[in-house]
Amino acid sequence: MHPAYSVILFTTASGAGYGLLFWLSLAHVIGVLPLAGWQFLVAICSALALITLGLLSSTFHLGRPERAWRAFSQWRSSWLSREGVAAVATYLPAGLLTLLSLFGVSGWLSLPLALLSALGAVATVWCTGMIYTSLKTIRQWHHPLVPWIYLALAASSGALLLCLLIAFAGGTARGAATLALLALIGAGGLKWLYWRRIDAETGRFSADMAIGIPGVQRQLDPPHTRPNYVMREMGYQVARKHARDLRRMVLTWGFAVPGLLLAFVAVTGGLAPVLAPIAVMSAGAGLVVERWLFFAEAEHVAMLYYGAERA
Amino acid sequence: MTTLPTRTDKKLGLVIDLDICVGCHACVTSCKEWNTGGYSAPLTDYDPYGADPDGAWLNRVHTYEIANDHFTGTVHFPRSCLHCEDAACVTVCPTGASYKRAEDGIVLVNPDTCIGCKLCSWACPYGAREYDHDQGVMKKCTLCVDRIYNETLPEEDRTPACVRACPTGARAFGDLGDPDSTVSQSVNDRGGFDLMAEMGYKPVNKYLPPRKGTDRAPVTNVAPAPEQTGSPIEKLFAWADRALSR
C-alpha cells in the first residue's frame, strides 16, 4: 500500500496526543500527577495540539476536505466514521478539563471529565486501528494484533511525552519514565510478534482465485501501458532487504534507544531534562518509520490481477 | 446510508464469457466514452497524450496465460465492479456516498457527497474502483444506470455501454436474482463462477469459464511424415535447407 505522508503524520501525532491525554487524565483521576496548575494546562494543551495537528493533516489525505464533516454520519457501519465521531467526542471532556485548569477551578467535576477523556482517547485510537484491521483485502492489516499495536504505540509515545513534560517542569520523572519504559517494552514486544506472524504466513489468496480459473501462469498483457490508480495505491512495494533494515531501525530508534534512556532515568532519576528529549526524538523517528513500513509492507489482493502470485 | 440493504428486489449484473472474449477492449473504450459524459462525469485523464498517461477508467481488460488439464491458452479477462451483495466498499464508507440500491442492487458512489478518502478502494478486493485525482472523488462502474432505465434511448440501447459494444457477445446484462433470466440460465448451463469467492463478498457479476479446446476442435488426419533413411545425400539436402532458410 502506498504510504501517504498525511496519514503517517496523522496516526503518529494524534496517537501520541491521545496517549498523552490518556495518561494525564488517568494520573489526574488517581491523583498522582506531579504536574499542577499551569504545568497541567501546558501538558493537556500539548496533547490537544498534537491531536489537532494529526486530525488536520488527515484531511489533506482527502480529495474533498471541505466535505469532511459528512464523515460523522456512518458510525453504524464504518470504522473511519466511528473514529471521526470518537475524535470529536473526546474534544468535549478534554476541552472542558482544559478550561477548568485554565481558570484554576478544581472540583469534583474534573474527575468524570478526566475519565471520559481517557476513555475517548482509547476509543479513538482503537477505531484508528480497526479501520485497518477491518480490511480483509490486506492480510498484513487484517490481523488481530493491529489495533492493540496502535493502542500500545499511542500509550508508549504518550507516556514518553509525559515523562518529557514532567522533566521540563522540574518534577521527578522516575515514575513516568518507568511507565513509559513498560509501555515501550509492551509495544515493542507486540510489534516484534506481529512481524513474526506476518512473515510466517503466506497469503490466503492466489491469482487462480482472483481470476477464477486454475493454472494462471502469468499476465501476458496488462490492461494499460502505464501504472493506474490501483497499481500506484495498492501496488506500492518495499524490497524485502530494505524492509529488514527499516525494521531494525524501528527496533533501534523506536524502542532500544529510548528504552535504555528511560531505564537510566527510571533507575537513577537523574539527567531527565537532557535524556527525555533525546528519547522523544529517537522514538518519534522510530515511530514514523514504523508507520511508513506498516503501509509499505501491506500487500493488497487486487495486485493478484497485476501479476502477484499470492496476497 | 452505508449499511447494506438486507435484500434487493433485483440483482442486476453482468455475465462475462471468458470463452469468447477476444480482448479487443471495445467494452473498455465504450465504457469510458459513455461514462465520461454520464452519471460520474467527467472521467478524468491525466497527461493522456504524454509519456505517462493515466486516468480513471471503470473497466479494464487483462490477458493471462492459463494452463490446466482442462484448458491451455490465452484468456482475456475484463475486470470491473462486480456489484457485490456483501459489498465492503459500501460499509467502510464514512459519509454514505458509497451505497447499494435496494431496488436493483447496483453499487454507486454519489459524486456530490464523496470526500475522496479512498477507503472503499482499499476495501475492494477486485481493484474495481479508481480515484479521480482531478475531481477528488472515487469513480466506479455504475452498470450504466443512466442508460438501462433511460426511456429517451432506443430500447436496444438500454443496456450497459460495454454490453452494447461487445462485438462477440461475450458480455450479457440481466437480473441474476431471477433464476429464469437468460443470464442466470447461462450461468447454470456453463458453470459460471464468482471471482475470489473465498473473500465472501458474494459478487453479483459472474464469469463463464473457457471451454475445453478439444471439445470443438475439428479432427484432422495428418499424413505421416516419410521415413528418413539417414543417407548422406539426405543430410546434405537437410543442411542446404537449413542454411538457405536462415
Side-chain angles (χ1 to χ4, degrees):
Chain A
M1 297 296 292
H2 169 73
Y5 293 116
S6 54
V7 178
I8 293 173
L9 180 64
F10 159 55
T11 53
T12 50
S14 69
Y18 283 117
L20 179 58
L21 179 66
F22 173 78
W23 293 121
L24 279 173
S25 308
L26 212 64
H28 184 70
V29 170
I30 304 171
V32 293
L33 193 65
L35 301 173
W38 66 269
Q39 293 173 340
F40 179 75
L41 183 67
V42 168
I44 198 163
C45 283
S46 336
L48 290 176
L50 274 172
I51 291 168
T52 310
L53 173 77
L55 290 174
L56 282 180
S57 114
S58 79
T59 63
F60 287 112
H61 178 66
L62 302 179
R64 296 284 190 143
E66 77 279 9
R67 298 177 181 169
W69 59 273
R70 291 185 182 275
F72 302 122
S73 63
Q74 301 302 315
W75 49 268
R76 285 181 207 81
S77 69
S78 164
W79 281 103
L80 179 53
S81 185
R82 286 172 199 164
E83 182 197 41
V85 171
V88 170
T90 308
Y91 271 110
L92 257 174
L96 283 173
L97 199 61
T98 312
L99 279 181
L100 285 188
S101 84
L102 175 66
F103 296 116
V105 185
S106 59
W108 63 269
L109 192 60
S110 72
L111 286 187
L113 287 178
L115 266 181
L116 284 174
S117 302
L119 206 67
V122 173
T124 310
V125 176
W126 179 262
C127 289
T128 307
M130 284 308 293
I131 293 172
Y132 302 103
T133 315
S134 65
L135 296 173
K136 278 159 77 178
T137 46
I138 302 158
R139 71 174 180 90
Q140 287 87 350
W141 290 0
H142 186 60
H143 196 286
L145 280 175
V146 166
W148 297 104
I149 291 170
Y150 267 85
L151 277 183
L153 286 172
S156 53
S157 51
L160 202 51
L161 287 177
L162 181 67
C163 180
L164 176 82
L165 287 167
I166 292 175
F168 278 1
T172 105
R174 286 182 69 173
T178 313
L179 182 75
L181 179 62
L182 290 176
L184 262 185
I185 291 171
L190 281 176
K191 194 71 206 185
W192 183 77
L193 191 65
Y194 164 82
W195 278 330
R196 277 192 47 158
R197 293 263 172 89
I198 63 165
D199 287 348
E201 58 191 38
T202 52
R204 264 180 68 210
F205 298 97
S206 63
D208 290 11
M209 290 179 188
I211 292 141
I213 308 170
V216 175
Q217 305 296 308
R218 64 191 168 121
Q219 184 178 227
L220 283 176
D221 252 342
H224 34 83
T225 50
R226 302 293 304 163
N228 67 340
Y229 165 73
V230 176
M231 290 178 78
R232 290 180 211 273
E233 182 81 357
M234 263 62 100
Y236 192 94
Q237 269 187 329
V238 56
R240 180 161 292 206
K241 183 178 153 294
H242 294 307
R244 253 202 312 272
D245 292 344
L246 289 168
R247 282 184 186 185
R248 209 169 294 132
M249 266 175 74
V250 173
L251 290 176
T252 311
W253 298 107
F255 298 105
V257 170
L260 285 174
L261 297 175
L262 285 171
F264 181 82
V265 174
V267 172
T268 64
L271 290 176
V274 183
L275 296 183
I278 301 173
V280 165
M281 281 189 283
S282 165
L287 201 58
V288 168
V289 177
E290 184 271 341
R291 209 49 50 89
W292 187 88
L293 260 183
F294 179 70
F295 279 85
E297 284 194 296
E299 298 166 322
H300 196 285
V301 292
M303 282 301 107
L304 294 171
Y305 293 105
Y306 286 96
E309 283 169 15
R310 295 201 77 85
Chain B
M1 181 53 79
T2 56
T3 42
L4 290 162
T6 47
R7 61 173 297 279
T8 57
D9 299 336
K10 284 183 176 178
K11 291 177 189 172
L12 293 187
L14 301 173
V15 172
I16 296 168
D17 191 342
L18 297 179
D19 190 63
I20 51 180
C21 172
V22 292
C24 69
H25 293 245
C27 55
V28 178
T29 47
S30 64
C31 164
K32 178 81 168 182
E33 187 270 338
W34 176 264
N35 283 295
T36 200
Y39 174 88
S40 40
L43 282 183
T44 314
D45 279 323
Y46 332 108
D47 195 20
Y49 306 104
D52 196 11
D54 188 7
W57 295 64
L58 311 181
N59 185 20
R60 304 279 194 179
V61 178
H62 300 252
T63 301
Y64 299 105
E65 182 184 324
I66 307 280
N68 57 40
D69 49 10
H70 175 81
F71 175 87
T72 302
T74 303
V75 166
H76 304 292
F77 182 86
R79 181 175 57 84
S80 58
C81 171
L82 308 174
H83 298 277
C84 298
E85 285 180 55
D86 207 349
C89 57
V90 168
T91 52
V92 299
C93 176
T95 67
S98 191
Y99 65 106
K100 186 171 177 69
R101 288 161 42 121
E103 61 268 41
D104 52 19
I106 298 179
V107 176
L108 287 179
V109 174
N110 182 347
D112 296 328
T113 54
C114 173
I115 58 173
C117 72
K118 310 173 193 81
L119 189 55
C120 54
S121 68
W122 296 1
C124 174
Y126 309 106
R129 291 177 169 235
E130 297 202 8
Y131 179 68
D132 188 328
H133 293 278
D134 195 53
Q135 298 288 303
V137 296
M138 194 56 74
K139 300 285 169 77
K140 71 176 292 302
C141 163
T142 65
L143 215 59
C144 284
V145 68
D146 43 4
R147 284 176 70 99
I148 58 176
Y149 300 113
N150 192 338
E151 289 180 2
T152 63
L153 293 177
E155 194 160 350
E156 64 268 29
D157 283 336
R158 289 179 213 161
T159 186
C162 57
V163 175
R164 192 81 179 99
C166 181
T168 62
R171 304 173 75 92
F173 164 71
D175 180 9
L176 285 143
D178 171 10
D180 298 325
S181 67
T182 323
V183 281
S184 296
Q185 296 285 336
S186 68
V187 169
N188 266 342
D189 296 346
R190 291 277 309 283
F193 58 85
D194 287 347
L195 302 186
M196 240 186 287
E198 298 82 355
M199 189 61 76
Y201 292 160
K202 295 191 243 162
V204 168
N205 283 15
K206 300 284 185 268
Y207 285 77
L208 305 181
R211 292 182 176 94
K212 194 170 182 171
T214 52
D215 289 352
R216 288 165 301 158
V219 182
T220 52
N221 290 315
V222 179
E227 271 182 41
Q228 307 270 312
T229 58
S231 66
I233 193 80
E234 235 175 44
K235 283 181 181 161
L236 175 69
F237 278 125
W239 169 82
D241 185 38
R242 281 200 305 275
L244 289 173
S245 42
R246 216 170 264 153

